[in-house]
Amino acid sequence: MSLLGHDLITITQRPETVFVEGHGAWLMDEQGKRHLDLIQGWAVNSLGHSPALITEALLAQSRRLLNPSPAYFNRPMLDLAAALVRVSGFDRVFLANSGAEANEGAVKLARRWGSRHRGGAHEVISFEQGFHGRTLAMMSASGKPGWDRIYAPMPTGFAKARLNDIESVAQAITPQTVAVMIEFVQGEAGVVLADPGFVRELRALTRERSVLLIADEVQTGVGRCGQAFAFQHYDVEPDILTLAKGLGGGVPLSALLCREGLNCFEPGDQGGTFCGAPLMAAVGLAIVNEVCRPAFLAEVRARAEQLSAGLQAIVRDHGLVGERGLGLLRAVELPSNDAPAVVAAAQALSPVGLLLNAPRPHLLRLMPALNISADEVDEGLALLREALRQVLA
Ligand SMILES: *Cc1c(COP(=O)(O)O)cnc(C)c1O
């Protein structure tokens, strides 16, 4: 029996592999085997593994200033906030370290606004199957079955509606409702897309009822869906936006953005030791400046079309159920609960492995680096065919 990981608190079943090096689309293990990585740190490594842009930003910033304290301004904090304001159209930015932390901040900001302008309204409506993070409050906000029980008692103030069912939102709104929190593409639920019509109706309904719209773009933001932000696909303007995963390109960084009218924290209401620290902000600035360029985003859309077309061909040839997604956040639905077996077979392929994710037993999720090459997409598709052939034979 292997003792790999016996000093770690067990949180998940990991394959018996230790990864030691990554470059671009490729991840290498301790045995020297290469894997084409279509997980990329969970849709995190926007530019692939260890891109020069990040290593150079880290090196330069670490030589200059690591951490003056969150009580002081620092240059990367200011520059990243300005870059996010410029590309998003939002007015104000708070920097943090994880998606859950940014989402907690979004709920705090909405409640603060509710206490000032909506007579103490504080409830947040979120969606069944949604995912907003793993703090206690964000587990309450998430719609994962069972998550209301494992750490009970849970923070209250979160109601649930059904995605793409505007009636269910209308029914959930009470005088205490301050915000609706939505993922335009539910990533962890298995790449489930909100309908454009539903999102437009949701924006109109929330405006009419003076309820804020919080867009959790932790997974979909910063180029992942082929636009700088998924809300641009849907052509709506949320009141509050959260970003994390791709924003840091592999380092822990998140952001909470809001309109000027919501800039209502009092000094001391919100903060964090590492919030806005220059080392991570310098990386975020490099990522935003690279990924949110129109030419870069056009390339993401081209690779997404290529990947989608290739997956559709695989669906036809292997008798699968279908393929879906937005930009480079895509999923393939299998007719059986073989997705974990396909993931294992793909990683075990020789001489080159393929790394995929199975968010559901019948679903494969692909979230490659945004700068993956056309050849690497083709190679990934060929490896996926081989893994499917082995498992579904
Ligand atoms: C990953 C994710 C989170 C949580 O982010 P962490 O950095 O893990 O806290 C929240 N919302 C969405 C939509 C996510 O995909």
Side-chain angles (χ1 to χ4, degrees):
M1 207 185 79
S2 162
L3 290 179
L4 203 55
H6 79 294
D7 294 322
L8 296 167
I9 292 178
T10 307
I11 57 159
T12 186
Q13 226 51 53
R14 295 184 171 106
E16 297 279 310
T17 314
V18 180
F19 289 104
V20 290
E21 213 174 307
H23 300 286
W26 297 91
L27 201 50
M28 204 192 290
D29 69 24
E30 244 169 14
Q31 267 69 52
K33 182 180 165 187
R34 296 166 75 236
H35 299 76
L36 183 59
D37 185 4
L38 301 187
I39 294 180
Q40 287 290 353
W42 234 257
V44 162
N45 306 324
S46 325
L47 302 176
H49 292 283
S50 296
L53 200 79
I54 292 186
T55 57
E56 281 160 21
L58 282 170
L59 187 61
Q61 188 57 44
S62 66
R63 285 188 164 143
R64 197 171 294 137
L65 179 64
L66 275 180
N67 191 358
S69 133
Y72 301 122
F73 288 127
N74 67 72
R75 187 40 62 190
M77 161 206 272
L78 297 169
D79 290 349
L80 174 56
L84 286 172
V85 162
R86 174 174 53 80
V87 295
S88 71
F90 281 74
D91 301 312
R92 296 278 182 164
V93 179
F94 171 75
L95 298 174
N97 308 280
S98 72
E101 192 183 12
N103 285 340
E104 288 261 344
V107 170
K108 285 182 185 172
L109 189 63
R111 287 188 179 182
R112 203 75 180 89
W113 178 82
S115 73
R116 296 258 175 84
H117 302 286
R118 282 279 323 283
H122 59 274
E123 274 177 15
V124 173
I125 297 171
S126 53
F127 292 93
E128 289 175 6
Q129 309 295 331
F131 181 78
H132 301 292
R134 293 175 174 279
T135 59
L136 287 171
M138 286 309 107
M139 288 182 75
S140 281
S142 297
K144 279 202 162 191
W147 267 26
D148 52 338
R149 290 192 301 276
I150 44 180
Y151 301 119
M154 299 301 285
T156 54
F158 297 94
K160 291 289 170 305
R162 283 180 302 280
L163 193 70
N164 297 330
D165 178 350
I166 195 68
E167 255 325 291
S168 75
V169 182
Q171 277 169 17
I173 293 180
T174 74
Q176 294 306 321
T177 304
V178 74
V180 174
M181 181 146 98
I182 185 172
E183 299 162 89
F184 295 119
V185 182
Q186 292 185 326
E188 301 310 300
V191 189
V192 178
L193 278 71
D195 295 336
F198 168 76
V199 172
R200 273 195 302 276
E201 286 175 336
L202 179 66
R203 181 63 283 195
L205 175 67
T206 48
R207 282 234 163 88
E208 183 189 307
R209 306 290 296 269
S210 297
V211 166
L212 302 173
L213 184 63
I214 303 174
D216 176 351
E217 293 221 34
V218 165
Q219 187 157 154
T220 55
V222 197
R224 173 59 48 189
C225 295
Q227 300 277 3
F229 308 100
F231 75 77
Q232 295 164 330
H233 268 291
Y234 285 91
D235 202 19
V236 293
E237 294 192 345
D239 302 296
I240 296 177
L241 176 70
T242 59
L243 306 170
K245 294 194 164 81
L247 175 63
V251 305
L253 176 67
S254 66
L256 162 63
L257 286 74
C258 72
R259 310 285 172 197
E260 186 60 41
L262 288 160
N263 177 28
C264 63
F265 284 135
E266 291 289 336
D269 281 357
Q270 174 67 334
T273 304
F274 295 109
C275 291
L279 189 64
M280 300 316 165
V283 174
L285 178 63
I287 292 285
V288 169
N289 284 339
E290 173 69 1
V291 167
C292 297
R293 286 188 298 118
F296 185 96
L297 293 169
E299 208 45 39
V300 174
R301 292 192 291 273
R303 292 290 76 71
E305 266 178 45
Q306 179 195 353
L307 180 59
S308 174
L311 292 173
Q312 285 170 34
I314 287 177
V315 165
R316 281 194 302 276
D317 297 348
H318 291 263
L320 310 183
V321 178
E323 180 271 344
R324 61 174 180 259
L326 196 58
L328 283 176
L329 179 57
R330 310 212 70 86
V332 176
E333 191 169 342
L334 309 182
S336 54
N337 286 342
D338 284 322
V342 175
V343 166
Q347 187 184 340
L349 288 173
S350 182
V352 166
L354 176 70
L355 301 179
L356 302 164
N357 160 247
R360 288 275 186 279
H362 64 291
L363 214 64
L364 297 169
R365 181 169 47 166
L366 300 86
M367 31 198 170
L370 302 181
N371 61 353
I372 190 171
S373 71
D375 285 350
E376 287 162 343
V377 169
D378 284 339
E379 189 162 359
L381 289 164
L383 290 167
L384 176 58
R385 273 183 191 274
E386 178 56 23
L388 284 166
R389 199 190 56 72
Q390 287 182 12
V391 173
L392 302 180

